[in-house]
């Protein structure tokens, strides 16, 4: 069996969306990010939030007595053109793709071609792109010379607004010192207690979320384990599929390892917000040159993958943010 995959593949237009990006940016995996995903929305891409009218009842009489229009908050998301490139030696690439195919009983391992091979190759690239987008969405900083610097992430946007722009509508709470006996539970309580009324009243809609770093998540989980209840015992044995505080999901953003890489990032970070207040926007349809290519370079004996697309992120309303970081 030749350990070389040579067939070139190019995705653009509808194929680029249906085969590659849309499956990656929709469904349960996207919801686990805890934010709003906007894919191929009209350009310029804007994040919107509607505050519905609360006084629509009027005395009955002839003529139109409609209430004022619902308030609409809107903010443009700046999209940056980026590219993702991976290169593997032919043998390493074959091994990685081969490994993804071995668990599929429908694949003839002696004839690696067709849709199964294509799916394995695209999945290999999708996983790398998705993680890079996710990490940059949090820790991105365009002022860096290297590392996650293709677009500015949420942490930089929030901390810059607090520290440099005098943004006084973001509620800021100190992170407790876990080494001195403080707990993440205390932090979550303080964040909820200090949350603006505008944010607290959205809890009934079920879209509020605590997005936290792993140290905060683990500390809160340990606190729950210490409660001497049967449910706590069972959770210690079986693990927890989801943590909540006052019915609000507590989600590990899984960015702690990335934060340690950069001196311009905080060590710990937590935010209480509405899922629709933070958005990641990806566009592969409205700009020239958006495509994905996979090909074999015989001179270098290397398999290469390249994707070109637009991406950006932002938050809309500072009034819907309660932030803690150190």
């Amino acid at each position: 069996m030749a350990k070389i995959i040579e067939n070139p593949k190019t995705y653009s237009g509808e194929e680029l969306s249906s085969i590659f990006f849309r499956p990656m940016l929709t469904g349960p995996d996207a919801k686990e990010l805890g934010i709003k995903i906007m894919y191929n929305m009209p350009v310029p891409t804007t994040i919107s939030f509607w505050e519905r009218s609360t006084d629509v009842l009027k005395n009955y009489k002839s003529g139109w007595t409609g209430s004022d229009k619902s308030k609409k908050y809107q903010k443009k998301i700046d999209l940056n053109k980026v590219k993702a490139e991976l290169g593997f030696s032919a043998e390493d690439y074959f091994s990685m793709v081969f490994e993804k195919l071995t668990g599929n009983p429908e694949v003839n391992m002696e004839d690696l071609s067709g849709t199964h091979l294509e799916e394995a190759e695209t999945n290999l690239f999708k996983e790398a792109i998705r993680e890079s987008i996710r990490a940059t969405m949090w820790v991105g900083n365009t002022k860096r010379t290297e590392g996650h610097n293709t677009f500015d992430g949420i942490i930089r946007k929030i901390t810059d607004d607090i520290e440099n722009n005098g943004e006084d509508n973001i509620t800021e709470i100190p992170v407790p010192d876990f080494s001195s006996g403080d707990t993440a539970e205390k932090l979550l309580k303080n964040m909820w207690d200090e949350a603006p009324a505008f944010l607290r009243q959205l809890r009934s809609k079920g879209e509020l979320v605590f997005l936290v770093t792993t140290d905060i998540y683990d500390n809160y989980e340990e606190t729950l384990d210490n409660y001497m209840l049967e449910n706590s015992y069972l959770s210690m044995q079986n693990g927890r599929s989801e943590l909540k505080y006052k019915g609000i999901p507590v989600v590990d953003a899984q960015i702690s390892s990335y934060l340690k890489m950069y001196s311009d990032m905080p060590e710990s970070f937590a935010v209480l917000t509405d899922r629709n207040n933070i958005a990641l926007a990806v566009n592969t349809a409205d700009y020239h040159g958006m495509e994905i290519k996979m090909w074999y370079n015989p001179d270098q004996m290397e398999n290469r993958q390249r994707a070109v697309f637009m991406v950006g992120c932002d938050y809309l309303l500072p009034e819907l943010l309660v932030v803690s970081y150190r």
Side-chain angles (χ1 to χ4, degrees):
M1 185 189 308
K3 294 187 176 182
I4 297 178
I5 299 174
E6 298 182 271
N7 294 335
K9 302 168 183 66
T10 300
Y11 304 95
S12 60
E14 182 57 32
E15 278 191 343
L16 179 62
S17 173
S18 60
I19 294 177
F20 209 91
F21 276 95
R22 188 170 296 282
M24 180 173 63
L25 298 171
T26 58
D29 289 344
K31 188 172 180 60
E32 286 178 3
L33 294 178
I35 65 167
K36 185 176 185 177
I37 306 293
M38 305 176 72
Y39 177 60
N40 279 354
M41 297 297 288
V43 177
T45 301
T46 57
I47 177 175
S48 303
F49 189 93
W50 290 87
E51 183 183 357
R52 65 187 179 189
S53 176
T54 57
D55 185 18
V56 298
L57 298 181
K58 304 296 179 181
N59 291 319
Y60 181 78
K61 59 183 179 180
S62 61
W64 174 255
T65 57
S67 61
D68 294 335
K69 293 181 179 179
S70 298
K71 290 183 180 179
K72 180 182 181 181
Y73 305 93
Q74 199 169 60
K75 185 178 184 181
K76 178 184 174 182
I77 299 180
D78 294 325
L79 297 182
N80 291 23
K81 190 173 185 178
V82 302
K83 67 175 181 177
E85 293 180 329
L86 289 177
F88 305 92
S89 71
E91 188 166 345
D92 289 344
Y93 187 73
F94 179 88
S95 298
M96 296 170 74
V97 173
F98 188 88
E99 183 179 353
K100 286 186 171 295
L101 290 170
T102 52
N104 189 338
E106 299 179 3
V107 177
N108 179 2
M109 305 307 293
E110 299 300 321
D111 180 22
L112 293 182
S113 61
T115 57
H116 294 302
L117 175 61
E118 182 177 356
E119 182 179 355
E121 288 190 83
T122 57
N123 285 340
L124 180 67
F125 200 19
K126 278 194 291 188
E127 291 169 4
I129 291 177
R130 183 180 188 276
E131 179 59 17
S132 186
I133 291 176
R134 188 192 72 82
T136 309
M137 175 194 73
W138 284 109
V139 305
N141 188 343
T142 56
K143 294 181 179 179
R144 288 193 206 111
T145 56
E146 292 184 358
H148 298 97
N149 61 356
T150 52
F151 63 97
D152 289 327
I154 294 299
I155 292 179
R156 183 193 164 188
K157 289 177 179 289
I158 291 176
T159 54
D160 275 2
D161 284 346
I162 292 175
E163 297 173 0
N164 302 329
N165 301 333
E167 180 58 77
D168 57 3
N169 291 327
I170 297 178
T171 303
E172 187 180 1
I173 304 295
V175 175
D177 182 2
F178 297 151
S179 63
S180 66
D182 286 338
T183 65
E185 182 182 23
K186 176 181 177 181
L187 170 62
L188 300 180
K189 181 180 186 303
N190 289 343
M191 294 178 75
W192 175 250
D193 289 346
E194 297 299 322
F198 183 31
L199 178 59
R200 290 169 64 98
Q201 70 185 14
L202 296 176
R203 181 170 67 165
S204 61
K205 293 185 176 181
E207 293 295 330
L208 296 190
V209 63
F210 287 98
L211 298 164
V212 303
T213 48
T214 302
D215 58 332
I216 296 173
Y217 185 93
D218 288 347
N219 185 279
Y220 182 51
E221 186 172 36
E222 290 174 4
T223 301
L224 296 179
D225 289 341
N226 289 331
Y227 287 118
M228 300 306 294
L229 299 172
E230 182 179 357
N231 287 343
S232 298
Y233 176 78
L234 293 175
S235 295
M236 289 178 65
Q237 302 298 310
N238 303 322
R240 293 180 173 87
S241 59
E242 184 180 47
L243 301 186
K244 290 186 176 182
Y245 179 77
K246 292 187 177 296
I248 302 170
V250 180
V251 176
D252 183 356
Q254 299 182 27
I255 55 173
S256 295
S257 60
Y258 295 109
L259 295 179
K260 295 176 182 178
M261 296 168 58
Y262 304 114
S263 59
D264 54 38
M265 287 287 111
E267 296 178 9
S268 295
F269 183 86
V271 59
L272 168 62
T273 190
D274 185 282
R275 291 179 186 269
N276 297 306
N277 191 42
I278 297 178
L280 169 71
V282 177
N283 193 294
T284 62
D286 295 304
Y287 297 91
H288 178 70
M290 305 293 104
E291 65 178 5
I292 287 178
K293 287 187 175 182
M294 304 181 190
W295 72 98
Y296 175 67
N297 184 313
D299 295 332
Q300 300 295 324
M301 298 182 66
E302 185 177 69
N303 284 92
R304 295 176 175 178
Q305 300 173 319
R306 175 186 292 140
V308 180
F309 55 97
M310 303 289 292
V311 63
C313 66
D314 212 336
Y315 71 90
L316 176 58
L317 293 177
E319 296 90 346
L320 292 183
L321 292 173
V322 181
V323 177
S324 181
Y325 63 95
R326 66 161 185 263

